[in-house]
């Protein structure tokens, strides 16, 4: 954990944060550690937003900073793991929610771990998930959400999958922000993952990938 990197991000010092991340990656810091630092920094940003110290522009800037940082980290992750394509996974940020940075990391990690990923993007309606599952016959679905209201959308999405008669054909995982195992239970999903690696582990477990 680098307190310096966390501080640069939390203080919105984008150039310094990017330069330090580059330096750390070149020095051999594991790319996942940089992403962990990003998450720690986002906790601080989120808290300051809640306390009224930061406002929407800071959230937007934090989002942009994270995008640049993950772009920086990606080539290093690619170098780490490359495997043959395994099962299909349908991924999306659920209806009403436009947060996609965490979802994009999940998409990326599934991809480099050999899954064929169908990324539906943000604010995805339950029916769009249903249609994509029917079209691709993907055995795994990953629902991402960062807002409390996304819990309801996750539930609605699982219900729509059930109503379409596809529930027994897919395993569904939930994750992102404040999502936890209670939300998984509320939404009647099959698994919950804290981070992108957990998403990969669940997908592997469910598809016999190891
Ligand atoms: C950046 C940000 C934004 C950016 C998003 C940019 C983007 N392109 O995504 C912008 C500015 C657009 C934004 C908007 C809003 N935001 Co916002 N945002 C954030 C912030 C600061 C960071 C989120 C983030 O990207 N984190 C970084 C990633 C990498 O996080 P991560 O958790 O480590 O990701 C991992 C896991 O989540 C997991 N994961 C993710 N998805 C999945 C899926 C599966 C299946 C699995 C297994 C795992 C998994 O894997 C990821 C990678 O390891 C959070 C604060 C916070 N602490 O999270 C608030 C936060 C989520 N936002 C919040 C709010 C309120 C809003 C707004 C409503 C503000 C407003 N008044 O308009 C709007 C919402 C608009 C909408 N309809 O969605 C609140 C939500 C409160 C709540 N309980 O509902 C938060 C918590 C801030 C706060 N503390 O108040 N936001």
């Amino acid at each position: 954990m680098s307190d310096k990197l966390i501080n640069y991000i939390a203080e919105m010092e984008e150039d310094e944060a990017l330069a330090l991340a580059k330096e750390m990656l070149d020095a051999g810091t594991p790319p996942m550690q940089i992403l962990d630092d990003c998450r720690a920094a986002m906790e601080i940003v989120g808290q300051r937003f809640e306390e009224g110290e930061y406002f929407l522009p800071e959230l937007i800037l934090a989002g942009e900073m994270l995008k640049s940082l993950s772009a920086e980290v990606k080539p290093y992750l690619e170098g780490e793991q490359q495997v043959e394509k395994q099962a299909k996974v349908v991924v999306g940020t659920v209806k009403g929610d436009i947060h996609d940075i965490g979802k994009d990391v999940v998409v990326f990690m599934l991809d480099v771990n050999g899954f064929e990923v169908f990324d539906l993007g943000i604010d995805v309606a339950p029916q769009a998930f249903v249609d994509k599952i029917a079209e691709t016959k993907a055995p795994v679905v990953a629902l991402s959400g960062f807002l409390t209201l996304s819990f309801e959308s996750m539930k609605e999405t699982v219900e729509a999958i059930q109503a379409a008669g596809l529930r027994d054909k897919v395993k569904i995982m939930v994750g992102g922000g404040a999502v936890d195992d209670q939300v998984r239970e509320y939404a009647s999903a099959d698994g919950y993952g804290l981070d992108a690696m957990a998403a990969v582990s669940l997908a592997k477990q469910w598809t016999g990938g190891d």
Side-chain angles (χ1 to χ4, degrees), residues 10 12 15 22 26 77 86 120 129 139 173 175 177:
M12 308 283 135
D15 293 345
K22 265 188 207 152
D26 285 339
L77 283 167
Q86 300 177 33
L120 299 178
F129 281 103
M173 63 172 99

Side-chain angles (χ1 to χ4, degrees), residues 7-205:
N7 280 335
Y8 280 148
I9 303 170
E11 296 297 331
M12 308 283 135
E13 292 177 29
E14 183 170 12
D15 293 345
E16 290 79 356
L18 270 171
L20 178 59
K22 265 188 207 152
E23 205 179 288
M24 288 168 72
L25 287 163
D26 285 339
T29 305
M32 283 311 287
Q33 194 183 308
I34 309 273
L35 291 180
D36 282 345
D37 288 346
C38 289
R39 179 169 44 227
M42 285 305 123
E43 285 299 323
I44 300 172
V45 173
Q47 210 171 333
R48 289 182 184 172
F49 176 74
E50 248 169 45
E51 289 163 359
E53 185 183 337
Y54 280 173
F55 298 95
L56 210 50
E58 279 85 6
L59 277 195
I60 295 171
L61 185 58
E64 282 167 4
M65 245 193 297
L66 269 188
K67 291 226 159 170
S68 317
L69 283 162
S70 17
E72 210 54 62
V73 169
K74 274 180 187 180
Y76 291 83
L77 283 167
E78 263 160 6
E80 265 193 357
Q81 32 220 320
Q82 263 305 341
V83 278
E84 277 174 41
K85 287 286 167 216
Q86 300 177 33
K88 295 174 177 174
V89 186
V90 172
V91 183
T93 300
V94 294
K95 195 179 78 187
D97 197 324
I98 62 161
H99 293 85
D100 65 357
I101 299 165
K103 186 263 300 163
D104 286 350
V105 179
V106 169
V107 167
F108 180 76
M109 288 308 287
L110 285 167
D111 184 44
V112 297
N113 278 278
F115 289 91
E116 190 178 347
V117 186
F118 297 88
D119 181 5
L120 299 178
I122 53 171
D123 191 17
V124 181
Q127 191 59 39
F129 281 103
V130 170
D131 293 346
K132 204 62 179 179
I133 297 163
E135 179 200 321
T136 60
K137 311 221 165 5
V140 179
V141 180
L143 307 179
S144 180
F146 279 75
L147 299 174
T148 315
L149 75 79
S150 72
F151 305 166
E152 198 55 39
S153 299
M154 287 174 174
K155 187 168 186 270
E156 284 170 17
T157 305
V158 176
E159 282 166 359
I161 293 169
Q162 169 102 40
L166 296 167
R167 186 66 185 92
D168 59 347
K169 298 194 170 51
V170 288
K171 289 277 197 185
I172 305 172
M173 63 172 99
V174 292
V179 172
D180 58 13
D181 201 58
Q182 249 175 305
V183 176
R184 178 203 58 76
E185 209 179 325
Y186 176 70
S188 302
D190 302 297
Y192 144 72
L194 175 69
D195 56 23
M197 276 324 289
V200 171
S201 304
L202 282 171
K204 281 188 176 169
Q205 198 183 308

